[in-house]
């Protein structure tokens, strides 16, 4: 099977020497870029991670509860963040497994995504996550998320 | 109903579109990954959503553009497209009409007051609006404008004036009948009661797609006095209020007019055309001068008057008689009998008629009514003297006008005669007992009355009426745990021979045994006020 490609939506994939703290679709300078392998897998993970469960009215089971909790102001400290991340990661991981096909290469199959650390600053919380594929490849990623304080 | 809001799309259909489009674009771009991700979530899914909306609208348009499609799904078919299709069959959708009439403000004193424009009155849970500012004037010399209304003395203790009123919305549910009372959004200290004196006009519902479908064969038919569908089409095109009709012709047992040949054959060429011309007959109040025909004592008298064919064409019955001017009086004088006579006034040609039964409920009927009165004003009067009364008459709508149309030289068929007859009336009174669960909120009983009456009055000649039909309407307003018992359907049929036949049914209303009454010639009327509801037996 030839490799398949997806668009680049999230600029900071952890492989750049400098990390942008702005999450945006089609970021400046990378619009129209394609990605594959673990980068593609990570994009897919983030699409589901940032989708509040029920937010897609045509597929109400897609997504997870992390953004719900962040917007409600339920994340007050690092312990709250770690708990919410663990539950959401598990949910998203299962959804990714559900859409995997036998033809997907190992670096496009998720093994685990873990929260390395989190920090609060003003109205934002920054997550440092480590993303691991079944090929054993690991990508570190920084996720700044606006929250209700 | 075109889909304009994407949130109303069926989620399963959107998912099917995603699967379908994914397969299509994957085949065209095998190197792109269209599953969840930037391409799948941000490009394919919105595309599939819009695609689903377009395909749904196309499907609705396809369904709406043929009679077959519309009939398969009349509630979903796009109204504008349906209207365009129906125009091919010379049919159009009515946008409805508001019921209107006037009401009497009964006052304890002849105090001048103003009922402002826009004042809302309510009855049966429906709202009615005063269309202009009306000034009640105690002095008749001050009645200068059309909105100035004289205050008249109703009896020794009450006064009144009339105010026009119009329904807040279109629809037949808004029709008020004489005797009904209304409440006002404004308090008037001297006003004791606001009452309907004369029936309101019917009002008209917005034509449903289903109703248009029902009319298609009539719309296509040539509008002539020939075959049954052509004749019905003709009548419907001129009198859209006709909700049901049957044409009784040669060899039909109900037609007696063509069975008087010397030979045992029917000559044909005659038609009795039974119509239901409205949801309910109109009740009109007519001032009549009655003649005393008998005087058993100084305070008692038997009186008589005649309603001519022009005054009360095809009248079903006189339902109430009161002394003229005593609008605030309850009850009625005792009606003892009525007879029918021929009255051919204003007709140049008319059908062959030979018996009172044949002219009953036609434009050629005049009705003589006898009644008894007992009052002090009779003491000075003798047999032959007259007294004026207000007479409440139930009149089926437009029968005279229809007869004039079919009898006119331009329209009448040269091969025979056509007699328009109002459907033989079966006045229904329904009673039942509601058994709501303990602690539940009681539904609005007026809405139940209206729904039951509306269901029955939409039926046509020959339609079957069952108790379950009524119970189904009632249960729409009740909790699942609520019950209904003691259903009783009391029917009063007025046969063409002026016999009143009274029957009580619980399951199925049957046509009474009478030589002049059959399912094809009779229809059931139910006034909402004749729906009697008790709750837990009270």
């Amino acid at each position: 099977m030839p490799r398949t490609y997806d668009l680049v939506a999230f600029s900071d994939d952890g492989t750049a020497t400098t990390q942008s703290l702005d999450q945006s679709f089609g970021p400046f300078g990378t619009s129209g870029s394609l990605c594959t392998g673990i980068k593609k897998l990570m994009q897919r993970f983030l699409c589901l991670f940032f989708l509040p469960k029920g937010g897609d009215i045509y597929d109400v089971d897609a997504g997870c509860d992390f953004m719900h909790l962040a917007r409600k102001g339920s994340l007050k400290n690092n312990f709250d963040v770690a708990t919410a991340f663990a539950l959401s990661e598990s949910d998203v991981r299962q959804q990714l497994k559900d859409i995997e096909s036998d033809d997907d290469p190992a670096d496009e199959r998720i093994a685990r995504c873990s929260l390395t650390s989190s920090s609060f600053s003003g109205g934002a919380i920054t997550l440092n996550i480590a993303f691991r594929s079944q090929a054993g490849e690991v990508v570190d990623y920084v996720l700044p998320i606006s929250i209700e304080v | 109903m075109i889909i304009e809001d994407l949130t109303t799309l069926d989620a399963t259909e959107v998912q099917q579109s995603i699967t379908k489009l994914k397969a299509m674009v994957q085949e065209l771009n095998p190197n792109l990954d269209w599953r969840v991700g930037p391409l799948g979530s941000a490009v394919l899914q919105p595309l599939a959503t819009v695609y689903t909306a377009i395909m749904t609208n196309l499907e609705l348009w396809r369904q709406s553009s043929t009679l077959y499609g519309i009939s398969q799904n009349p509630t979903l078919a796009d109204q504008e497209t349906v209207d365009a299709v129906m125009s091919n069959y010379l049919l159009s959708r009515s946008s409805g009409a508001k019921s209107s009439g006037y009401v009497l403000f009964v006052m304890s004193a002849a105090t001048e007051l103003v009922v402002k424009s826009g004042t809302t009155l309510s009855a049966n849970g429906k709202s009615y609006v005063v269309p202009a500012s009306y000034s009640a004037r105690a002095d008749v010399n001050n009645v200068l404008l059309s909105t100035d209304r004289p205050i008249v003395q109703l009896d020794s203790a009450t006064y009144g004036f009339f105010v026009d009123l119009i329904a807040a919305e279109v629809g037949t549910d808004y029709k008020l009948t004489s005797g009904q009372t209304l409440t006002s959004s404004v308090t008037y200290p001297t006003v004791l009661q606001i009452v309907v004196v004369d029936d309101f006009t019917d009002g008209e519902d917005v034509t449903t797609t289903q109703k248009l479908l029902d009319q298609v064969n009539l719309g296509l038919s040539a509008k002539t006095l020939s075959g049954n569908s052509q004749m019905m089409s003709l009548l419907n095109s001129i009198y859209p209020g006709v909700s049901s009709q049957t044409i009784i012709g040669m060899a039909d047992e109900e037609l007696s007019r063509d069975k008087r040949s010397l030979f045992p054959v029917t000559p044909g060429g005659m038609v009795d055309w039974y119509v239901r011309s409205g949801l309910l007959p109109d009740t009109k109040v007519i001032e009549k001068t009655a003649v005393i025909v008998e005087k058993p004592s100084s305070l008692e008298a038997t009186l008589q008057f005649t309603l001519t064919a022009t005054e009360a064409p095809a009248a079903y019955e006189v339902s109430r008689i009161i002394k003229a001017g005593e609008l605030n009086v309850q009850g009625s004088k005792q009606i003892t009998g009525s007879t029918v006579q021929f009255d051919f006034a204003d007709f140049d040609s008319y059908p062959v008629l030979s018996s009172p039964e044949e002219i009953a409920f036609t434009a050629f009927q005049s009705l003589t009514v006898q009644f008894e009165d007992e009052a002090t004003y009779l003491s000075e009067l003798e047999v032959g003297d007259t007294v004026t009364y207000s007479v409440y008459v139930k009149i089926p709508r437009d029968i005279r006008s229809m007869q004039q149309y079919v009898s006119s030289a331009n329209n009448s068929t040269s091969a025979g005669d056509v007699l328009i007859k109002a459907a033989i009336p079966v006045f229904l009174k329904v009673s039942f007992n509601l058994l709501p669960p303990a602690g539940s909120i009681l539904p609005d009983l007026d809405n139940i009355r209206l729904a039951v009456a509306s269901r029955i009055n939409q039926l046509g000649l020959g339609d079957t009426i069952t108790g379950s039909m009524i119970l189904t309407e009632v249960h729409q307003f009740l909790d699942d745990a609520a019950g209904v018992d003691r259903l009783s359907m009391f029917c009063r049929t007025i046969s063409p021979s002026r016999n009143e036949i009274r029957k009580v049914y619980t399951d199925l209303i049957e046509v009474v045994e009478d030589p002049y009454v059959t399912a094809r010639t009779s229809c059931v009327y139910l006034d909402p006020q004749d729906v009697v509801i008790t709750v837990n037996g009270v």
Side-chain angles (χ1 to χ4, degrees), chain B residues 499-523:
Chain B
N499 288 332
E500 279 199 14
I501 306 156
R502 296 159 189 261
K503 294 269 186 182
V504 178
Y505 306 96
T506 53
D507 299 324
L508 172 72
I509 293 180
E510 295 168 1
V511 179
V512 297
E513 289 182 13
D514 184 280
Y516 300 99
V517 184
T518 68
R520 294 194 296 180
T521 61
S522 60
C523 73

PDB file of all heavy atoms in Angstrom, chain B residues 499-523:
ATOM      1  N   ASN B 499     -89.836  14.656  11.158  1.00  0.00           N
ATOM      2  CA  ASN B 499     -89.791  13.840  12.371  1.00  0.00           C
ATOM      3  C   ASN B 499     -88.417  13.998  13.002  1.00  0.00           C
ATOM      4  O   ASN B 499     -87.409  13.998  12.295  1.00  0.00           O
ATOM      5  CB  ASN B 499     -89.988  12.357  12.041  1.00  0.00           C
ATOM      6  CG  ASN B 499     -91.417  12.066  11.657  1.00  0.00           C
ATOM      7  OD1 ASN B 499     -92.329  12.747  12.104  1.00  0.00           O
ATOM      8  ND2 ASN B 499     -91.599  11.069  10.811  1.00  0.00           N
ATOM      9  N   GLU B 500     -88.407  14.123  14.297  1.00  0.00           N
ATOM     10  CA  GLU B 500     -87.122  14.122  14.997  1.00  0.00           C
ATOM     11  C   GLU B 500     -86.869  12.722  15.528  1.00  0.00           C
ATOM     12  O   GLU B 500     -87.677  12.185  16.289  1.00  0.00           O
ATOM     13  CB  GLU B 500     -87.136  15.118  16.153  1.00  0.00           C
ATOM     14  CG  GLU B 500     -86.878  16.533  15.702  1.00  0.00           C
ATOM     15  CD  GLU B 500     -86.431  17.437  16.842  1.00  0.00           C
ATOM     16  OE1 GLU B 500     -86.069  16.921  17.927  1.00  0.00           O
ATOM     17  OE2 GLU B 500     -86.452  18.644  16.643  1.00  0.00           O
ATOM     18  N   ILE B 501     -85.770  12.125  15.099  1.00  0.00           N
ATOM     19  CA  ILE B 501     -85.447  10.763  15.525  1.00  0.00           C
ATOM     20  C   ILE B 501     -84.247  10.848  16.455  1.00  0.00           C
ATOM     21  O   ILE B 501     -83.187  11.333  16.065  1.00  0.00           O
ATOM     22  CB  ILE B 501     -85.130   9.874  14.313  1.00  0.00           C
ATOM     23  CG1 ILE B 501     -86.287   9.943  13.310  1.00  0.00           C
ATOM     24  CG2 ILE B 501     -84.857   8.451  14.740  1.00  0.00           C
ATOM     25  CD1 ILE B 501     -85.910   9.618  11.907  1.00  0.00           C
ATOM     26  N   ARG B 502     -84.427  10.401  17.681  1.00  0.00           N
ATOM     27  CA  ARG B 502     -83.356  10.526  18.685  1.00  0.00           C
ATOM     28  C   ARG B 502     -82.809   9.150  19.027  1.00  0.00           C
ATOM     29  O   ARG B 502     -83.569   8.225  19.321  1.00  0.00           O
ATOM     30  CB  ARG B 502     -83.902  11.186  19.953  1.00  0.00           C
ATOM     31  CG  ARG B 502     -84.376  12.611  19.710  1.00  0.00           C
ATOM     32  CD  ARG B 502     -85.358  13.073  20.771  1.00  0.00           C
ATOM     33  NE  ARG B 502     -85.955  14.360  20.382  1.00  0.00           N
ATOM     34  CZ  ARG B 502     -85.553  15.530  20.848  1.00  0.00           C
ATOM     35  NH1 ARG B 502     -84.570  15.584  21.717  1.00  0.00           N
ATOM     36  NH2 ARG B 502     -86.125  16.642  20.451  1.00  0.00           N
ATOM     37  N   LYS B 503     -81.505   9.029  18.976  1.00  0.00           N
ATOM     38  CA  LYS B 503     -80.846   7.748  19.275  1.00  0.00           C
ATOM     39  C   LYS B 503     -79.564   8.019  20.054  1.00  0.00           C
ATOM     40  O   LYS B 503     -78.904   9.046  19.841  1.00  0.00           O
ATOM     41  CB  LYS B 503     -80.464   7.022  17.981  1.00  0.00           C
ATOM     42  CG  LYS B 503     -81.638   6.568  17.141  1.00  0.00           C
ATOM     43  CD  LYS B 503     -82.042   5.174  17.528  1.00  0.00           C
ATOM     44  CE  LYS B 503     -83.131   4.667  16.565  1.00  0.00           C
ATOM     45  NZ  LYS B 503     -83.591   3.331  16.943  1.00  0.00           N
ATOM     46  N   VAL B 504     -79.205   7.072  20.902  1.00  0.00           N
ATOM     47  CA  VAL B 504     -77.946   7.182  21.642  1.00  0.00           C
ATOM     48  C   VAL B 504     -77.050   6.012  21.244  1.00  0.00           C
ATOM     49  O   VAL B 504     -77.499   4.863  21.195  1.00  0.00           O
ATOM     50  CB  VAL B 504     -78.189   7.159  23.169  1.00  0.00           C
ATOM     51  CG1 VAL B 504     -76.859   7.236  23.914  1.00  0.00           C
ATOM     52  CG2 VAL B 504     -79.082   8.310  23.575  1.00  0.00           C
ATOM     53  N   TYR B 505     -75.804   6.309  20.931  1.00  0.00           N
ATOM     54  CA  TYR B 505     -74.839   5.277  20.543  1.00  0.00           C
ATOM     55  C   TYR B 505     -73.606   5.395  21.443  1.00  0.00           C
ATOM     56  O   TYR B 505     -73.293   6.472  21.973  1.00  0.00           O
ATOM     57  CB  TYR B 505     -74.398   5.462  19.090  1.00  0.00           C
ATOM     58  CG  TYR B 505     -75.545   5.525  18.103  1.00  0.00           C
ATOM     59  CD1 TYR B 505     -76.056   6.747  17.688  1.00  0.00           C
ATOM     60  CD2 TYR B 505     -76.102   4.352  17.603  1.00  0.00           C
ATOM     61  CE1 TYR B 505     -77.106   6.809  16.789  1.00  0.00           C
ATOM     62  CE2 TYR B 505     -77.161   4.403  16.699  1.00  0.00           C
ATOM     63  CZ  TYR B 505     -77.654   5.641  16.304  1.00  0.00           C
ATOM     64  OH  TYR B 505     -78.693   5.691  15.417  1.00  0.00           O
ATOM     65  N   THR B 506     -72.900   4.283  21.559  1.00  0.00           N
ATOM     66  CA  THR B 506     -71.639   4.307  22.316  1.00  0.00           C
ATOM     67  C   THR B 506     -70.448   3.898  21.452  1.00  0.00           C
ATOM     68  O   THR B 506     -69.319   4.292  21.725  1.00  0.00           O
ATOM     69  CB  THR B 506     -71.704   3.365  23.529  1.00  0.00           C
ATOM     70  OG1 THR B 506     -72.113   2.080  23.074  1.00  0.00           O
ATOM     71  CG2 THR B 506     -72.675   3.884  24.563  1.00  0.00           C
ATOM     72  N   ASP B 507     -70.685   3.090  20.424  1.00  0.00           N
ATOM     73  CA  ASP B 507     -69.566   2.585  19.618  1.00  0.00           C
ATOM     74  C   ASP B 507     -69.563   3.150  18.203  1.00  0.00           C
ATOM     75  O   ASP B 507     -68.561   3.642  17.731  1.00  0.00           O
ATOM     76  CB  ASP B 507     -69.625   1.057  19.520  1.00  0.00           C
ATOM     77  CG  ASP B 507     -69.529   0.423  20.887  1.00  0.00           C
ATOM     78  OD1 ASP B 507     -68.793   0.984  21.718  1.00  0.00           O
ATOM     79  OD2 ASP B 507     -70.184  -0.604  21.117  1.00  0.00           O
ATOM     80  N   LEU B 508     -70.693   3.061  17.547  1.00  0.00           N
ATOM     81  CA  LEU B 508     -70.766   3.402  16.126  1.00  0.00           C
ATOM     82  C   LEU B 508     -72.093   4.093  15.845  1.00  0.00           C
ATOM     83  O   LEU B 508     -73.155   3.592  16.227  1.00  0.00           O
ATOM     84  CB  LEU B 508     -70.664   2.111  15.288  1.00  0.00           C
ATOM     85  CG  LEU B 508     -70.908   2.226  13.793  1.00  0.00           C
ATOM     86  CD1 LEU B 508     -69.740   2.944  13.127  1.00  0.00           C
ATOM     87  CD2 LEU B 508     -71.085   0.838  13.175  1.00  0.00           C
ATOM     88  N   ILE B 509     -72.037   5.260  15.205  1.00  0.00           N
ATOM     89  CA  ILE B 509     -73.278   5.963  14.867  1.00  0.00           C
ATOM     90  C   ILE B 509     -73.864   5.333  13.612  1.00  0.00           C
ATOM     91  O   ILE B 509     -73.190   5.235  12.578  1.00  0.00           O
ATOM     92  CB  ILE B 509     -73.007   7.462  14.656  1.00  0.00           C
ATOM     93  CG1 ILE B 509     -72.588   8.098  15.975  1.00  0.00           C
ATOM     94  CG2 ILE B 509     -74.228   8.160  14.070  1.00  0.00           C
ATOM     95  CD1 ILE B 509     -72.299   9.580  15.892  1.00  0.00           C
ATOM     96  N   GLU B 510     -75.094   4.883  13.737  1.00  0.00           N
ATOM     97  CA  GLU B 510     -75.741   4.223  12.607  1.00  0.00           C
ATOM     98  C   GLU B 510     -76.784   5.141  11.990  1.00  0.00           C
ATOM     99  O   GLU B 510     -77.370   5.993  12.673  1.00  0.00           O
ATOM    100  CB  GLU B 510     -76.401   2.924  13.077  1.00  0.00           C
ATOM    101  CG  GLU B 510     -75.379   1.895  13.555  1.00  0.00           C
ATOM    102  CD  GLU B 510     -76.049   0.743  14.288  1.00  0.00           C
ATOM    103  OE1 GLU B 510     -77.286   0.748  14.401  1.00  0.00           O
ATOM    104  OE2 GLU B 510     -75.316  -0.133  14.753  1.00  0.00           O
ATOM    105  N   VAL B 511     -77.022   4.938  10.704  1.00  0.00           N
ATOM    106  CA  VAL B 511     -78.046   5.730  10.026  1.00  0.00           C
ATOM    107  C   VAL B 511     -79.412   5.270  10.525  1.00  0.00           C
ATOM    108  O   VAL B 511     -79.680   4.068  10.626  1.00  0.00           O
ATOM    109  CB  VAL B 511     -77.955   5.534   8.500  1.00  0.00           C
ATOM    110  CG1 VAL B 511     -79.041   6.331   7.798  1.00  0.00           C
ATOM    111  CG2 VAL B 511     -76.587   5.948   8.005  1.00  0.00           C
ATOM    112  N   VAL B 512     -80.272   6.229  10.869  1.00  0.00           N
ATOM    113  CA  VAL B 512     -81.571   5.865  11.448  1.00  0.00           C
ATOM    114  C   VAL B 512     -82.468   5.233  10.384  1.00  0.00           C
ATOM    115  O   VAL B 512     -82.271   5.432   9.177  1.00  0.00           O
ATOM    116  CB  VAL B 512     -82.268   7.111  12.038  1.00  0.00           C
ATOM    117  CG1 VAL B 512     -81.456   7.672  13.177  1.00  0.00           C
ATOM    118  CG2 VAL B 512     -82.509   8.163  10.964  1.00  0.00           C
ATOM    119  N   GLU B 513     -83.428   4.470  10.862  1.00  0.00           N
ATOM    120  CA  GLU B 513     -84.364   3.829   9.932  1.00  0.00           C
ATOM    121  C   GLU B 513     -85.457   4.817   9.583  1.00  0.00           C
ATOM    122  O   GLU B 513     -86.320   5.140  10.393  1.00  0.00           O
ATOM    123  CB  GLU B 513     -84.949   2.571  10.578  1.00  0.00           C
ATOM    124  CG  GLU B 513     -83.934   1.454  10.690  1.00  0.00           C
ATOM    125  CD  GLU B 513     -84.539   0.198  11.296  1.00  0.00           C
ATOM    126  OE1 GLU B 513     -85.775   0.119  11.395  1.00  0.00           O
ATOM    127  OE2 GLU B 513     -83.761  -0.680  11.681  1.00  0.00           O
ATOM    128  N   ASP B 514     -85.388   5.339   8.393  1.00  0.00           N
ATOM    129  CA  ASP B 514     -86.361   6.307   7.914  1.00  0.00           C
ATOM    130  C   ASP B 514     -86.327   6.239   6.384  1.00  0.00           C
ATOM    131  O   ASP B 514     -85.245   6.162   5.798  1.00  0.00           O
ATOM    132  CB  ASP B 514     -85.981   7.723   8.392  1.00  0.00           C
ATOM    133  CG  ASP B 514     -87.016   8.762   7.993  1.00  0.00           C
ATOM    134  OD1 ASP B 514     -86.999   9.201   6.819  1.00  0.00           O
ATOM    135  OD2 ASP B 514     -87.825   9.139   8.847  1.00  0.00           O
ATOM    136  N   PRO B 515     -87.492   6.253   5.756  1.00  0.00           N
ATOM    137  CA  PRO B 515     -87.495   6.088   4.300  1.00  0.00           C
ATOM    138  C   PRO B 515     -86.735   7.182   3.564  1.00  0.00           C
ATOM    139  O   PRO B 515     -86.306   6.986   2.433  1.00  0.00           O
ATOM    140  CB  PRO B 515     -88.980   6.115   3.940  1.00  0.00           C
ATOM    141  CG  PRO B 515     -89.711   6.537   5.152  1.00  0.00           C
ATOM    142  CD  PRO B 515     -88.829   6.294   6.316  1.00  0.00           C
ATOM    143  N   TYR B 516     -86.523   8.333   4.210  1.00  0.00           N
ATOM    144  CA  TYR B 516     -85.883   9.446   3.504  1.00  0.00           C
ATOM    145  C   TYR B 516     -84.424   9.651   3.913  1.00  0.00           C
ATOM    146  O   TYR B 516     -83.751  10.507   3.378  1.00  0.00           O
ATOM    147  CB  TYR B 516     -86.658  10.744   3.761  1.00  0.00           C
ATOM    148  CG  TYR B 516     -88.092  10.652   3.294  1.00  0.00           C
ATOM    149  CD1 TYR B 516     -89.109  10.377   4.186  1.00  0.00           C
ATOM    150  CD2 TYR B 516     -88.399  10.810   1.946  1.00  0.00           C
ATOM    151  CE1 TYR B 516     -90.425  10.272   3.762  1.00  0.00           C
ATOM    152  CE2 TYR B 516     -89.708  10.706   1.511  1.00  0.00           C
ATOM    153  CZ  TYR B 516     -90.725  10.433   2.421  1.00  0.00           C
ATOM    154  OH  TYR B 516     -92.004  10.324   1.994  1.00  0.00           O
ATOM    155  N   VAL B 517     -83.966   8.886   4.878  1.00  0.00           N
ATOM    156  CA  VAL B 517     -82.611   9.111   5.395  1.00  0.00           C
ATOM    157  C   VAL B 517     -81.728   7.913   5.076  1.00  0.00           C
ATOM    158  O   VAL B 517     -82.058   6.787   5.424  1.00  0.00           O
ATOM    159  CB  VAL B 517     -82.631   9.338   6.927  1.00  0.00           C
ATOM    160  CG1 VAL B 517     -81.223   9.672   7.420  1.00  0.00           C
ATOM    161  CG2 VAL B 517     -83.609  10.434   7.297  1.00  0.00           C
ATOM    162  N   THR B 518     -80.623   8.177   4.396  1.00  0.00           N
ATOM    163  CA  THR B 518     -79.622   7.131   4.178  1.00  0.00           C
ATOM    164  C   THR B 518     -78.245   7.742   4.443  1.00  0.00           C
ATOM    165  O   THR B 518     -78.121   8.947   4.651  1.00  0.00           O
ATOM    166  CB  THR B 518     -79.638   6.593   2.730  1.00  0.00           C
ATOM    167  OG1 THR B 518     -79.188   7.632   1.851  1.00  0.00           O
ATOM    168  CG2 THR B 518     -81.013   6.121   2.314  1.00  0.00           C
ATOM    169  N   ALA B 519     -77.229   6.892   4.407  1.00  0.00           N
ATOM    170  CA  ALA B 519     -75.864   7.395   4.646  1.00  0.00           C
ATOM    171  C   ALA B 519     -75.476   8.420   3.587  1.00  0.00           C
ATOM    172  O   ALA B 519     -74.755   9.373   3.865  1.00  0.00           O
ATOM    173  CB  ALA B 519     -74.879   6.237   4.642  1.00  0.00           C
ATOM    174  N   ARG B 520     -75.973   8.236   2.375  1.00  0.00           N
ATOM    175  CA  ARG B 520     -75.563   9.141   1.287  1.00  0.00           C
ATOM    176  C   ARG B 520     -76.247  10.497   1.341  1.00  0.00           C
ATOM    177  O   ARG B 520     -75.831  11.434   0.656  1.00  0.00           O
ATOM    178  CB  ARG B 520     -75.874   8.492  -0.069  1.00  0.00           C
ATOM    179  CG  ARG B 520     -75.049   7.249  -0.324  1.00  0.00           C
ATOM    180  CD  ARG B 520     -75.117   6.836  -1.754  1.00  0.00           C
ATOM    181  NE  ARG B 520     -76.451   6.434  -2.183  1.00  0.00           N
ATOM    182  CZ  ARG B 520     -76.738   6.032  -3.412  1.00  0.00           C
ATOM    183  NH1 ARG B 520     -75.785   6.021  -4.328  1.00  0.00           N
ATOM    184  NH2 ARG B 520     -77.964   5.661  -3.730  1.00  0.00           N
ATOM    185  N   THR B 521     -77.321  10.584   2.124  1.00  0.00           N
ATOM    186  CA  THR B 521     -78.074  11.849   2.134  1.00  0.00           C
ATOM    187  C   THR B 521     -77.973  12.608   3.454  1.00  0.00           C
ATOM    188  O   THR B 521     -78.537  13.688   3.578  1.00  0.00           O
ATOM    189  CB  THR B 521     -79.566  11.585   1.850  1.00  0.00           C
ATOM    190  OG1 THR B 521     -80.084  10.726   2.878  1.00  0.00           O
ATOM    191  CG2 THR B 521     -79.755  10.933   0.498  1.00  0.00           C
ATOM    192  N   SER B 522     -77.268  12.049   4.438  1.00  0.00           N
ATOM    193  CA  SER B 522     -77.232  12.705   5.747  1.00  0.00           C
ATOM    194  C   SER B 522     -75.797  12.966   6.184  1.00  0.00           C
ATOM    195  O   SER B 522     -74.872  12.298   5.734  1.00  0.00           O
ATOM    196  CB  SER B 522     -77.938  11.824   6.794  1.00  0.00           C
ATOM    197  OG  SER B 522     -77.299  10.574   6.885  1.00  0.00           O
ATOM    198  N   CYS B 523     -75.656  13.970   7.039  1.00  0.00           N
ATOM    199  CA  CYS B 523     -74.332  14.223   7.606  1.00  0.00           C
ATOM    200  C   CYS B 523     -74.487  14.670   9.057  1.00  0.00           C
ATOM    201  O   CYS B 523     -75.552  15.117   9.476  1.00  0.00           O
ATOM    202  CB  CYS B 523     -73.561  15.253   6.796  1.00  0.00           C
ATOM    203  SG  CYS B 523     -74.156  16.932   6.986  1.00  0.00           S
TER     204      CYS B 523
END
